[in-house]
Every structure is written in structure tokens, then in C-alpha cells.
Amino acid sequence: MSIIGFIGLGNMGLPMAINLKKAGHAIQAFDTVPAQLEKAKAEGMEICASTTDAARGADIVVTMLPNGEIVSAVYSQIVPAATKGALLIDSSTIDVSTAKSLHGQAGTAGLLSLDAPVSGGVGGAEAGTLTFMCGGSEEAFGKAKPVLDIMGGKVIHCGDGGAGQAAKICNNMLLSISMIGTCEAFALAEKLGLSAQAAFDVMSTSSGSCWSVNTYCPVPGVGPKSPADNDYKPGFAAELMLKDASLAQQAATEAGQATPMGQYAAMLYRHFLANGGEGKDFSGIIEYLKHAERGNA
Ligand code: NAD
């Protein structure tokens, strides 16, 4: 049994913390929203008055927060408060350069640290089947693994500090491109008089096959059940896709790597969100693309 500080009890963090509690760990929970603290309390977690209280005396501190700016502000409070030798795990999705700088701060203070962003969404957080992409030392990963195994189905050590965030944004940049390509292919198939079923049967078994076609088809009524069959209710919200696609572009700019398709995909998600995409699943961009004027998407 470990004492685990858990900071950020939102859509993802609360079910993750619940799984740790159910596995027998003692949770010191903190969130800035009182209603979230009440939910944590109802699950038998110890409620803390501040980030520092959640970190104090903990063997491990997990953060699951909205963005890099907030994670940085929280680290400036918890790094001085944590016990020497404790492990900090940040599972938020944040930019690679901030993640690296947080590793530096933790190391200087004698703490172990791991960036461990996730994929799998709220369903994966509730079921304990998230995929964790981890960056940090062997020692940090080794200490984190048994705890991450409780919350996840797959836990991958991607490399040194920042490697988890790098893996996450590269994957999601590819997903943003493959989903838009899939939507374009189905939209064109429809205009050419091809049925969605025929398009699916061919593309899912031919060289165009990919996760966006085979598993998460953006057209209702074909392929396995997906948000398309539920009026594009997320799923993986378009807002979160734009966040990740934008982080990928920030990293590409900093690294000096050309990613023209990634750049274009991020721009299309921005347009989708400004034109009815708010609150929709990211695969709902097919509706935007179907109605966009040619040459003017
Ligand atoms: P959320 O907004 O539901 O939860 C964030 C929580 O952090 C909120 O409860 C908020 O009150 C709390 N918070 C904000 N500032 C705080 C502070 N200073 N101290 C303590 N608590 C604070 O977001 P979420 O959907 O749970 O996502 C969390 C992270 O996980 C994000 O970085 C997101 O990109 C990533 N992520 C989300 C999903 C998803 O499907 N929701 C999937 C993969 C990754």
C-alpha cells in the first residue's frame, strides 16, 4: 500500500483515483473545484486543502490537469513540498518542452519523475484500461509501473523525460490526419454514388485500411459501433483533438521539422470547431468536410 497524492479530479482523474483507491492505496486528493472533492470524499479518499497538502508525505504524486501552464504552477508548489525520493507522475497531456523542464525541477529537488500521458479516454479511465506512454529514468518507470498497471491496460516506457508526451502527440497528429483522410474518402465516395457499406468493405480490407476506417468509422451504420452511430457524441472530443494537434505543431516548430499534413489537419480542426464542431466527437469533422466548399475548407 502506498500513499498517493492525486491532483486534478476531473473527467479522467477522478475515475483513475477511484481505481487506485479500490486497489488498496491511500489517496490524498485535491482539486480546485469543491464538487469534485465531494465526489472523491464519497469514494473514501482523504480530501486535502491544497496541492501541497496532497503532496506532503506521499510516496507518489499523480497530476491529471488541463494544460502545461497549470501543471507548471502546481509543480512549483508540490516540488518543494514532496518528500525526498518521492515519485511525481504527470499524466496530463502537455507540451514536450514544459515536460522536460518539470523533469529538471524534480531531479534538482531529489525527486523521481515520469511524464505519463494517456490514451483511452474517460471509458478507459473508468475501466482501468488506459494506455500510458511514459518518459523518464528506468528507476522512475520501475517505481511507477505497478501503480500505472492498476489504471492502465498497456504501460509503455518510451524513453527519457518528455518521451511520453512526444509519443502521444506524434500518435495523435497521425490520427488527426488519418481521420480527415478517411472522412474525405467517404464523402467523395458518397458524391460518386458509392454506398457507404461498399466503401467500407473495400477500404477496411485494402491498402487504405487504418484505425479511423476499421475501428472508428466516421459514417453511421457501417463498421463497429462508433460515435458516428450516436450523433457524434464524444468519444474523443474535437476540442481535445485540436489541443493535441496544436501541441504537435508547437513541438514541430521547436524541433524544426516540416509537418505540412499535421499543420493542415490542425487548421481544419480549428475551422470545424468554429463551424458547429463544439461538443462533437472529432470524427464529426466529416459533416464539416461534406458541406465545405471545394477549395475553401
Ligand atoms: P478536466 O477538465 O475534466 O479535469 C481537470 C481537473 O483539474 C478539473 O477537475 C479541474 O478543476 C482541475 N484543476 C484545474 N486546475 C487545478 C489546480 N491548479 N489544482 C488542482 N486541480 C485543478 O480534464 P480531463 O478530461 O480530466 O483531462 C485531463 C488531462 O488529460 C488533460 O491534459 C487532457 O488533455 C488529458 N486527456 C484527456 C482525455 C479525455 O478523453 N478527457 C483523454 C486523454 C488525455
Side-chain angles (χ1 to χ4, degrees):
M1 196 271 286
S2 297
I3 300 174
I4 301 179
F6 207 111
I7 300 171
L9 304 159
N11 292 322
M12 297 290 289
L14 183 64
M16 290 164 71
I18 289 173
N19 284 332
L20 292 176
K21 172 75 186 144
K22 280 186 181 153
H25 295 293
I27 310 296
Q28 302 181 162
F30 179 71
D31 194 290
T32 42
V33 174
Q36 296 308 108
L37 285 175
E38 283 308 311
K39 290 180 200 164
K41 194 175 179 184
E43 296 288 339
M45 297 178 213
E46 184 194 331
I47 298 312
C48 298
S50 64
T51 54
T52 44
D53 281 358
R56 211 167 278 128
D59 304 301
I60 295 174
V61 184
V62 182
T63 43
M64 194 53 173
L65 295 161
N67 59 48
E69 214 172 297
I70 293 175
V71 178
S72 290
V74 166
Y75 265 54
S76 69
Q77 297 158 355
I78 64 175
V79 165
T83 312
K84 230 181 171 43
L87 166 68
L88 307 185
I89 302 174
D90 180 37
S91 281
S92 328
T93 303
I94 67 169
D95 59 286
V96 177
S97 51
T98 298
K100 286 184 177 168
S101 133
L102 297 178
H103 279 284
Q105 290 172 34
T108 305
L111 304 170
L112 294 170
S113 58
L114 201 72
D115 55 296
V118 301
S119 72
V122 176
E126 286 169 353
T129 57
L130 294 167
T131 293
F132 284 91
M133 296 153 262
C134 305
S137 66
E138 287 291 347
E139 189 186 0
F141 181 72
K143 186 167 176 180
K145 177 90 168 44
V147 166
L148 299 182
D149 279 338
I150 295 166
M151 300 182 282
K154 215 183 263 177
V155 180
I156 303 164
H157 192 194
C158 300
D160 290 340
Q165 297 293 351
K168 162 105 189 168
I169 57 165
C170 288
N171 180 70
N172 280 15
M173 181 180 80
L174 174 57
L175 176 60
S176 69
I177 297 166
S178 81
M179 179 53 79
I180 289 172
T182 299
C183 292
E184 288 185 6
F186 275 102
L188 179 60
E190 187 180 310
K191 289 264 160 66
L192 297 177
L194 197 61
S195 75
Q197 189 63 54
F200 177 81
D201 289 346
V202 171
M203 295 195 296
S204 65
T205 53
S206 303
S207 44
S209 71
C210 61
W211 186 86
S212 298
V213 172
N214 294 43
T215 307
Y216 207 90
C217 187
V219 177
V222 292
K225 269 225 161 331
S226 70
D229 299 305
N230 192 19
D231 200 22
Y232 299 101
K233 191 168 167 281
F236 183 45
E239 286 88 344
L240 286 174
M241 175 48 93
L242 177 59
K243 173 190 171 178
D244 293 358
S246 303
L247 287 174
Q249 286 313 299
Q250 185 185 335
T253 302
E254 286 168 10
Q257 176 58 54
T259 53
M261 298 292 283
Q263 195 174 354
Y264 208 80
M267 188 195 79
L268 288 174
Y269 271 105
R270 200 166 292 116
H271 288 188
F272 173 46
L273 279 161
N275 290 280
E278 271 181 42
K280 296 272 186 201
D281 187 76
F282 82 113
S283 62
I285 197 167
I286 191 168
E287 291 299 321
Y288 167 73
L289 291 167
K290 271 185 182 176
H291 299 111
E293 264 176 62
R294 183 162 171 75
N296 198 24

